[in-house]
Structure formats: structure tokens, C-alpha cells
Amino acid sequence: MVGHEVVIESIWESFKTDIPDGIAAYITLFQFTFVGLGALTVEIFAPTPTDASSAGTVADKRPLGFWLSHLPYFGLAVLVFLSTALSNHSVHYVQYPVKVVFKSSKLMPTMLVSTLLGNSKSFGITDYAAAALLCVGTAGFAYGGGKGGKEGVSVMATLFGCGLLLISVLADAFLPNLQQKVMSKDVSPERLMLKTNFIGAIILLAAMAVTGDLFACVDFSMRNPMVNVNLVGCAVTLFVAVYCMTKMVKTAGSVFAVTVATLRKGVTVITSYVVFPKEISASHVISLLLVGSGLVLHEVHNQREKARQRAKEEAEPKERLLESSSPTHDGADRLEAGYRVARSASFPSVGKLAD
């Protein structure tokens, strides 16, 4: 994903004034297509066992059932578009580091959505405090004291770009959680990626053809052949990132995957500063300290939780042993009750006297 972000930024840095308005959707179209083709290749040559079990259900054979069974993938395709296209389009209005700042804050809303959807346990104050330190530190390092808006862009346009990023972050919060829900029904990561990205590519291709952005972007790429190289590199690196991310969501959960992605943002920004030199200030050092504090707090809290869980597991057998060895009168009570019922049935008057 670091390579993907560097390639994306190189497009904006290399063609600052000549970029068409629909380039963000065009990049997303490339991403949809290549990620779908990559998932198809993996499914053909290295299928996951769950692929065979989920390939031909009864619902797929009926017209209405087919559309209903694919409805979650339509929703995921929309979320992917909102997450990627809106964040890429926002760079028309804000500087690239501002985009990284917003995208770095998705961990906390992802934790909230994960709890609401039942994908994970509820998180405590310490979990949210560690997440806040990670988000603020990563965002601060990305921003680095730079200007929020781009040169020649009005304040209202800058606010519009921030609004696009806010919607993108909300989509980021729901996307991995819904992916986790879908894959919990024996759907493999490859099958999920295949359906989501091909559906997204078909819809986006039709939309760009109707608006005319497709032809403007094709003309732009033909006049600048290097753009095509960047687009292919962007799509290939994204496939690797998405495949690993989807696998992580299935095996470790949405919150863990987004935590790794948040930390990856820091590596992305460092790489950006190396490839596209920028000024380094004291705020970068403070931000790194915040990220380190968040990691330490999370690790200490995690170790304490593990120790508490081990102590609980060790105490349970002892409690069960004490319960089994303690004297009880349940058997005697049941025997006496049965004796009284029998006496009442045979000698009603005797039963009443016994009571």
C-alpha cells in the first residue's frame, strides 16, 4: 500500500495543471478492474476451499435470488468507490498530506462500527485512548504544519475537499466491517474481491461514459504515456494491498486490519518525504512520540488483558472442583419429595398428615 500511495502522489505532483476533473474516477476504474482480474487469477490457480462451497447456491439459480445474493457486493462496491474516488478527488482542493490526515483517523469510527455490528467486543477507554494517540500522531506527522488548502483554491473549495474526505472516512469505517460480515458466511477473500470489484468497474465505466469523463481521461492518458505506467503500477500495488487487507479482515477482524493500515500511513508519509522532499519540523518529532506512546499503551493494556485472562482460566478448574466436592442436599430433597407423593397417592390422609 505504501507503493500505491507513492504512485498516486506522483500523478498529482507530475501533472499539477493538466489533470482532468474525472481523473479520480478514472484511477478508481483502473483499481476496480485490476483488483478484480487479480482476484480472478488467484481464484483460478489457487482457489480457497470456501470458494467451492459458496459458488453455486440455490439463490444464485433464481433471477430474484441472484440479485438478492449479490446485493451485499453492490453495497461494498459503493463503499469502495466512496472510499477511494472521493479521497483521490479531494486532492483537487486540499494538499495531499491533508488527505492522509483524514484517512489516518478512520481507526476510531471503525472500532465504533465494529462494536455496533457485533464484529468484536466492546472497547474500553484505554483502547480508544491508544487509538486516539495513533490517529493524532499519524495525522500530525502527515500534516507537518503545512497549509490545508492548495494554492489558488478558495476557502469554500478547501472545505468542500474536507467534506469529501469526511465521507470517505465514514465509508472506510463501514467497509471492512461489512466485508467481515460477508466473509463470515463461508465467502473467501478472492470471491469477495472478484464480485465487488467487477460490479464496481461495470457501474463506474457506464457512469463515466455517460458523463464524458471517460473520454477526457483517455485523451489525457494518450497525451501523457507515463500516466498509464503510473496507473498500472497503482492498480498492481493496490491489488497486493487489498488482497492482504481482505485476508487480514477475515482472519483477524476489521479493527486489527485498520490498526495496521493506520500505522502504515506513517510509513507512507515517511516514504513521501523521502521521494518528494518536504520540510521536517518539530511537529514531526512530537507526532512520532504520540504514535510511540499509543503503541506502548496498547501493548501494556494488551499484556494486562492476557494476564487477567490466564488467571481467570487457571481459577475456573479450582472453582469447579470446589463446587463438585461441596455437600449438597438436592438428592435427599428429591427422594423425600418422591416419598411424600407416593404416600399421598396410596394413603391420601397419611400424606396430608405428613405435610
Side-chain angles (χ1 to χ4, degrees), residues 87 97-113 127-128 130-143 162-174 176-177 255 258-266 269 291:
S87 64
V98 177
K99 169 192 168 182
V100 181
V101 168
F102 272 86
K103 300 293 275 187
S104 300
S105 64
K106 64 184 178 182
L107 176 57
M108 295 186 71
T110 301
M111 293 168 68
L112 288 172
V113 174
D127 296 309
Y128 282 106
L133 288 171
L134 288 176
C135 293
V136 172
T138 305
F141 190 84
Y143 189 69
C162 291
L164 294 177
L165 287 170
L166 181 60
I167 297 173
S168 175
V169 169
L170 291 176
D172 280 328
F174 280 94
N177 283 296
V255 174
V258 175
T259 302
V260 174
T262 301
L263 294 175
R264 188 265 309 161
K265 290 289 183 184
V269 174
V291 172

Side-chain angles (χ1 to χ4, degrees), residues 188-355:
S188 70
E190 298 83 16
R191 179 61 57 94
L192 179 81
M193 292 167 58
L194 175 66
K195 292 186 176 183
T196 300
N197 286 278
F198 275 160
I199 289 173
I202 293 171
I203 296 174
L204 188 55
L205 179 64
M208 291 189 68
V210 171
T211 60
D213 289 336
L214 178 63
F215 308 106
C217 291
V218 170
D219 178 67
F220 170 70
S221 62
M222 291 180 66
R223 288 186 287 105
N224 302 279
M226 191 60 191
V227 173
N228 298 315
V229 177
N230 287 335
L231 288 173
V232 173
C234 170
V236 172
T237 53
L238 182 68
F239 164 71
V240 177
V242 170
Y243 183 70
C244 295
M245 184 77 170
T246 309
K247 282 278 192 181
M248 202 181 304
V249 168
K250 185 174 180 65
T251 57
S254 57
V255 174
F256 179 81
V258 175
T259 302
V260 174
T262 301
L263 294 175
R264 188 265 309 161
K265 290 289 183 184
V267 179
T268 299
V269 174
I270 294 173
T271 307
S272 173
Y273 273 75
V274 173
V275 178
F276 308 102
K278 303 174 182 67
E279 181 182 355
I280 298 178
S281 62
S283 62
H284 294 101
V285 179
I286 296 174
S287 299
L288 285 175
L289 291 176
L290 289 174
V291 172
S293 300
L295 291 174
V296 171
L297 180 61
H298 172 72
E299 184 62 25
V300 171
H301 179 65
N302 193 35
Q303 291 300 324
R304 287 181 178 175
E305 287 293 321
K306 288 181 178 179
R308 189 180 294 112
Q309 185 64 28
R310 283 197 299 268
K312 183 179 179 181
E313 292 175 354
E314 292 173 359
E316 284 179 353
K318 296 179 181 178
E319 293 176 357
R320 286 196 296 267
L321 181 61
L322 290 174
E323 290 176 358
S324 62
S325 60
S326 61
T328 61
H329 303 284
D330 292 345
D333 292 341
R334 287 195 297 269
L335 183 61
E336 183 179 353
Y339 175 72
R340 288 187 176 186
V341 170
R343 286 176 60 85
S344 299
S346 303
F347 309 100
S349 60
V350 176
K352 291 178 181 178
L353 289 174
D355 291 337

